[in-house]
Amino acid sequence: DGGITQSPKYLFRKEGQNVTLSCEQNLNHDAMYWYRQDPGQGLRLIYYSQIVNDFQKGDIAEGYSVSREKKESFPLTVTSAQKNPTAFYLCASSIGQSWYFGPGTRLLVL
Amino acid sequence: AQSVTQPDIHITVSEGASLELRCNYSYGATPYLFWYVQSPGQGLQLLLKYFSGDTLVQGIKGFEAEFKRSQSSFNLRKPSVHWSDAAEYFCAVGASGGTSYGKLTFGQGTILTVHP
């Protein structure tokens, strides 16, 4: 089945540590996205990539980094510079105006 | 840049009652509009979308939405709510061109509670 895989479902991080969230898609989509979800704030765009080896900052990129070395993979690193990283993170891919979302990763800072 | 406002943070309805969730958008050209639903701890499921043509759009699970350009609105409706409809609903707008092309912007979400 084609789709988007995010792992793990839950991730715990100690303060001061970097952590990387995985996102893999087998839909052969060029475009991929990372969104952060907080209660009452909807989904906010962190980074997006329209093609391999290229990516752009979204609305809340500070404290995050990404890479796009392969078409199917778009990992997100939450760095220690992100002051409030506890949130639900959703990865998506798109073709034309059709978006597909992964199941999400919940990041908790201990 | 585009933006979306969902004025109602939380709505409670009785099972069997009708439902309308409000969505207002801001975008300079004809937008692409979407409604998604999210159950707790889950990803997003597309309910329906509007690109062009008929302004009344039918979606899954008995939902429909109407695009009103004059009001910059895309409200979601259901004539009779089921307990399984309890979830959070998101309206989103996609740019049809320009520098924001390919970006999807979401509203704040509306939590729907259904009483038996």
Side-chain angles (χ1 to χ4, degrees), chain A residues 37-38 40-44, chain B residues 3-11 19-26 33-38 44 47 72-77 87-93 104-112:
Chain A
Q37 185 177 11
D38 297 282
Q41 298 192 53
L43 283 76
R44 293 178 291 168
Chain B
S3 66
V4 180
T5 300
Q6 293 179 245
D8 304 306
I9 297 173
H10 194 172
I11 284 183
L19 171 70
E20 182 170 29
L21 302 182
R22 296 183 292 165
C23 172
N24 293 99
Y25 69 90
S26 173
L33 295 163
F34 306 81
W35 274 99
Y36 288 89
V37 61
Q38 184 183 38
L44 298 180
L47 287 175
S72 297
S73 69
F74 189 56
N75 294 349
L76 182 71
R77 301 193 294 249
E88 188 162 16
Y89 291 79
F90 293 95
C91 182
V93 59
L104 195 59
T105 300
F106 287 85
Q108 301 91 327
T110 298
I111 298 171
L112 174 65

Side-chain angles (χ1 to χ4, degrees), chain A residues 25-75:
Chain A
Q25 55 103 355
N26 60 5
L27 300 167
N28 201 34
H29 290 169
D30 286 318
M32 297 187 73
Y33 310 80
W34 274 106
Y35 287 89
R36 170 181 170 139
Q37 185 177 11
D38 297 282
Q41 298 192 53
L43 283 76
R44 293 178 291 168
L45 183 64
I46 304 173
Y47 267 98
Y48 63 105
S49 168
Q50 301 282 25
I51 198 169
V52 174
N53 292 322
D54 188 41
F55 49 83
Q56 287 79 40
K57 293 181 179 179
D59 301 317
I60 56 164
E62 185 175 352
Y64 300 97
S65 66
V66 294
S67 63
R68 187 82 188 279
E69 297 176 1
K70 297 186 296 182
K71 188 175 187 177
E72 60 269 25
S73 179
F74 191 40

Side-chain angles (χ1 to χ4, degrees), chain B residues 13-56:
Chain B
V13 299
S14 298
E15 191 168 17
S18 63
L19 171 70
E20 182 170 29
L21 302 182
R22 296 183 292 165
C23 172
N24 293 99
Y25 69 90
S26 173
Y27 183 64
T30 300
Y32 299 135
L33 295 163
F34 306 81
W35 274 99
Y36 288 89
V37 61
Q38 184 183 38
S39 297
Q42 304 299 313
L44 298 180
Q45 181 181 22
L46 179 67
L47 287 175
L48 47 78
K49 58 187 177 184
Y50 171 79
F51 289 172
S52 65
D54 192 350
T55 57
L56 186 62

Side-chain angles (χ1 to χ4, degrees), chain A residues 85-107:
Chain A
T86 295
F88 190 56
Y89 292 86
L90 282 164
C91 179
S93 68
S94 73
I95 182 166
Q97 291 289 332
S98 294
W99 274 263
Y100 298 78
F101 287 85
T105 292
R106 185 164 298 280
L107 175 63

